[in-house]
Amino acid sequence: MAKRILIADDAAFMRMMLKDILTKGGYEIAGEAEDGNVALARYKELKPDLVTMDITMPNCDGIQSLKQIKAADPGANVVMCSAMGQQAMVIEAIQSGAKDFIVKPFQADRVLEAIKKILGE
């Protein structure tokens, strides 16, 4: 059975790119979220195997949402997505419980490699 992934990013284009990479990699898209609040609600509702979380989002950023998801489910698998030059935020995300991070623009092999490693495939 395909592993289910929730994609959280405020940019529809980025969600579409990730969806394309992940479905071609054999994953099922459990759902999408356009900000951290929606990501938390969808996580609780859909119980995906993994979440890809953009750091910079309106209303509730990825790091706040990551902390809330980890509080609700300490075993949650969350991969942060960030543009170059956000090292401090990436470090904070890892310290807050993110399993890995992927740099934008996305490279399909790097995205799939990170996800396979986290899901133990």
Side-chain angles (χ1 to χ4, degrees):
M1 196 174 115
K3 298 282 188 178
R4 299 168 63 249
I5 299 177
L6 172 66
I7 300 172
D9 198 308
D10 58 323
F13 176 71
M14 288 296 174
R15 292 198 307 269
M16 191 179 72
M17 277 181 63
L18 266 176
K19 199 184 330 184
D20 187 51
I21 291 168
L22 295 169
T23 51
K24 285 179 179 164
Y27 296 99
E28 181 187 325
I29 305 308
E32 296 181 33
E34 58 282 345
D35 72 34
N37 294 327
V38 176
L40 177 63
R42 296 251 162 87
Y43 183 85
K44 289 178 174 176
E45 170 196 339
L46 301 167
K47 305 274 189 276
D49 296 296
L50 186 135
V51 181
T52 63
M53 179 83 68
D54 185 22
I55 289 182
T56 313
M57 292 188 287
N59 305 324
C60 173
D61 71 26
I63 291 176
Q64 292 305 318
S65 183
L66 164 69
K67 289 176 180 173
Q68 292 169 344
I69 287 172
K70 292 298 275 188
D73 178 5
N77 293 311
V78 181
V79 177
M80 302 306 285
C81 303
S82 99
M84 288 298 282
Q86 292 181 312
Q87 274 83 356
M89 289 174 120
V90 167
I91 290 165
E92 185 182 350
I94 298 293
Q95 289 171 341
S96 299
K99 298 274 170 78
D100 201 348
F101 75 95
I102 305 165
V103 176
K104 294 177 182 179
F106 299 120
Q107 294 174 311
D109 53 349
R110 170 70 182 108
V111 171
L112 295 172
E113 173 193 310
I115 288 170
K116 283 184 177 129
K117 186 176 75 184
I118 292 163
L119 295 176
E121 297 178 315

